[in-house]
Amino acid sequence: ILDESVYAPRTDPPNNKLTKLLYVGRLSKEKRIDLTLYALAELLKIDPDYELILIGDGPERHRLFDLSVELGIAQAVTWYGSVNHAKLIDEHLYHLGDIFVVSSKFETQGLSTLEAMAHGLPVVAIRSDANSEVIGQGGVVVPNWNDQERLVKALAKTIISINDNSQQPYHELAYQQALKFSPSALLNTYTSIYQEVIESSGK
């Protein structure tokens, strides 16, 4: 459930390029942020305006920084560091990005994914049962290929396709998807479920 204060839709002009990739969360191995770095390297071959903003910290930071240098993309990566949740929401730091990228295949119901959509960011994520259910129309879910090279290319291709179809209301679709997880929406859902149970029990 998202607190009502989280919702902050974007007001970008139509056809705006979506080249600022964003990740918010712990920089740990299971998040597989290296896949996002590899995808960024592919994107930069096509458009030098792409960049990645990482908000968070963790044990993988130094290794990921070294990888960005190795790939020759360090200048396109911003390491924002750890930010407390209140600042993240109050200052609308999700608006630093255009597309929220989730490379982990172990997400359950990632709060950061929901918060990103509540700020109007479409999500590009690797398929998992939870990601598919939570993201819905709020982004694009990429098949979880076992082949890393294939997976990286799929991430990059998906991000490019979002820009190639920039007339689509991606920000609005993401925001509307996030509204399904607001307290009022969930209250209506639970009320309907309880009503169905009561009626089916004959009481």
Side-chain angles (χ1 to χ4, degrees), residues 124-135:
V124 172
I126 292 172
R127 178 172 293 143
S128 71
D129 290 341
N131 279 340
S132 299
E133 180 180 353
V134 170
I135 294 168

Side-chain angles (χ1 to χ4, degrees), residues 5-203:
S5 64
V6 172
Y7 289 87
R10 293 177 61 132
T11 56
D12 291 358
N15 301 320
N16 191 45
K17 287 178 67 176
L18 308 180
T19 55
K20 295 181 178 180
L21 312 181
L22 177 69
Y23 168 80
V24 175
R26 183 169 168 77
L27 305 184
S28 53
K29 190 172 183 178
E30 70 275 8
K31 299 299 183 180
R32 303 199 301 179
I33 302 165
D34 51 338
L35 296 179
T36 304
L37 291 175
Y38 282 116
L40 177 62
E42 293 293 320
L43 292 167
L44 287 169
K45 295 175 184 177
I46 299 167
D47 187 338
D49 289 339
Y50 278 104
E51 59 181 293
L52 173 63
I53 301 164
L54 298 170
I55 299 180
D57 208 342
E60 286 285 282
R61 175 167 181 162
H62 294 299
R63 188 186 71 82
L64 292 169
F65 177 80
D66 290 344
L67 178 59
S68 72
V69 173
E70 179 184 332
L71 293 173
I73 62 171
Q75 77 288 348
V77 182
T78 300
W79 306 85
Y80 209 94
S82 181
V83 176
N84 70 62
H85 189 257
K87 179 178 179 178
L88 180 70
I89 299 304
D90 293 345
E91 299 185 12
H92 304 304
L93 296 185
Y94 280 98
H95 286 169
L96 292 172
D98 298 318
I99 299 174
F100 194 74
V101 183
V102 181
S103 297
S104 172
K105 62 179 179 180
F106 300 111
E107 297 298 322
T108 52
Q109 289 189 356
L111 179 62
S112 60
T113 299
L114 287 171
E115 289 179 344
M117 291 191 297
H119 281 77
L121 270 67
V123 178
V124 172
I126 292 172
R127 178 172 293 143
S128 71
D129 290 341
N131 279 340
S132 299
E133 180 180 353
V134 170
I135 294 168
Q137 66 176 0
V140 182
V141 178
V142 176
N144 184 24
W145 307 114
N146 290 323
D147 185 320
Q148 177 174 304
E149 182 178 354
R150 189 179 186 186
L151 185 52
V152 167
K153 289 186 180 299
L155 285 171
K157 183 178 180 180
T158 300
I159 292 167
I160 291 169
S161 72
I162 288 177
N163 274 290
D164 287 345
N165 295 282
S166 57
Q167 74 277 7
Q168 294 293 326
Y170 287 107
H171 293 325
E172 179 62 23
L173 289 171
Y175 182 73
Q176 291 299 323
Q177 178 67 13
L179 285 176
K180 297 178 182 179
F181 295 87
S182 68
S184 57
L186 290 176
L187 177 60
N188 289 336
T189 299
Y190 292 143
T191 299
S192 297
I193 292 173
Y194 284 129
Q195 188 63 39
E196 290 177 7
V197 171
I198 292 171
E199 292 176 356
S200 65
S201 66
K203 297 181 180 180

